Amino acid sequence: MAGFSIDSFTSKLKAGGALASLFEAELTTTKGPQQASAVADFKFLCKATTLPGDTIDVATVTYMGRGINIPANRAAATWETTIYNDEGMEIRNNLESWMEQLNSHKTNVRAAAMIAIQSYTGTLKVRQFAKAGGSSTKSYEFIDAWPSAVGEITVDWETNEIQTYAVTWEFSYWKSNQSNVGF
């Protein structure tokens, strides 16, 4: 193994690398029943999520039988979160109400007040923190976000685990201060 050196590797892993567990996600607005505690509790009960990926679709142009790939539009993406369920189900109730206003189970229509995109969307943020604490090392903001799917919750007599459920979020775009993306 020519050139192998554990010291070379560890010298590149600044501060021992970023830990997946040092994050917080924040829901800054909601169109549900406007329970302030549900919005505030989101940052504590959001168990898992991802930092967003980035994809630009490819457009293929053919010239004299040869395909040439050029950058096209950005691919639509979703953002996934996993939420711990509290016994009062405040966050879940809020999300279900929000989705009911977007499209009613019974009437199949949107609430009359939800006309402009800002009237039915919110803002989500996710921040990565350093092990030494302090401010975030990377943060993303998801603009014009809304829940498109709230996952099922398993109930089971043979477990004592806290319930969790997944939420899929749609959004118009994301931005990040650290990479000057979206500003």
Side-chain angles (χ1 to χ4, degrees):
M1 286 202 225
F4 174 81
S5 168
I6 194 70
D7 293 333
S8 295
F9 172 73
T10 57
S11 71
K12 303 300 180 195
L13 200 56
K14 305 291 186 217
L19 292 179
S21 61
L22 294 178
F23 81 98
E24 74 177 2
E26 179 181 354
L27 174 60
T28 58
T29 14
T30 180
K31 306 305 177 190
Q34 300 300 333
Q35 297 169 344
S37 62
V39 174
D41 290 349
F42 185 84
K43 76 167 58 174
F44 298 105
L45 298 179
C46 182
K47 172 187 185 269
T49 190
T50 58
L51 300 179
D54 204 3
T55 303
I56 296 177
D57 287 331
V58 175
T60 302
V61 177
T62 305
Y63 177 70
M64 299 185 82
R66 178 163 189 251
I68 302 167
N69 292 333
I70 60 171
N73 294 323
R74 287 196 176 274
T78 59
W79 191 52
E80 305 287 329
T81 56
T82 302
I83 311 294
Y84 281 122
N85 196 26
D86 63 291
E87 280 194 347
M89 298 190 181
E90 288 187 36
I91 294 172
R92 187 175 181 90
N93 291 340
N94 197 291
L95 293 170
E96 287 175 352
S97 175
W98 190 351
M99 292 179 74
E100 176 68 16
Q101 292 177 68
L102 288 171
N103 185 270
S104 172
H105 285 281
K106 183 177 180 180
T107 63
N108 196 33
V109 297
R110 181 173 296 170
M114 294 188 164
I115 304 300
I117 194 167
Q118 290 78 18
S119 68
Y120 62 83
T121 60
T123 303
L124 294 155
K125 296 178 183 176
V126 61
R127 295 177 196 87
Q128 176 79 46
F129 295 105
K131 290 187 289 268
S135 62
S136 64
T137 58
K138 184 80 171 171
S139 66
Y140 294 89
E141 188 172 345
F142 299 89
I143 308 302
D144 298 333
W146 53 276
S148 63
V150 174
E152 71 277 354
I153 296 176
T154 301
V155 290
D156 182 348
W157 285 352
E158 294 185 14
T159 184
N160 284 322
E161 295 180 15
I162 295 175
Q163 295 171 332
T164 62
Y165 58 95
V167 179
T168 301
W169 300 90
E170 306 294 330
F171 57 93
S172 294
Y173 63 96
W174 59 259
K175 59 185 182 178
S176 170
N177 285 339
Q178 289 81 352
S179 55
N180 294 320
V181 173
F183 289 95

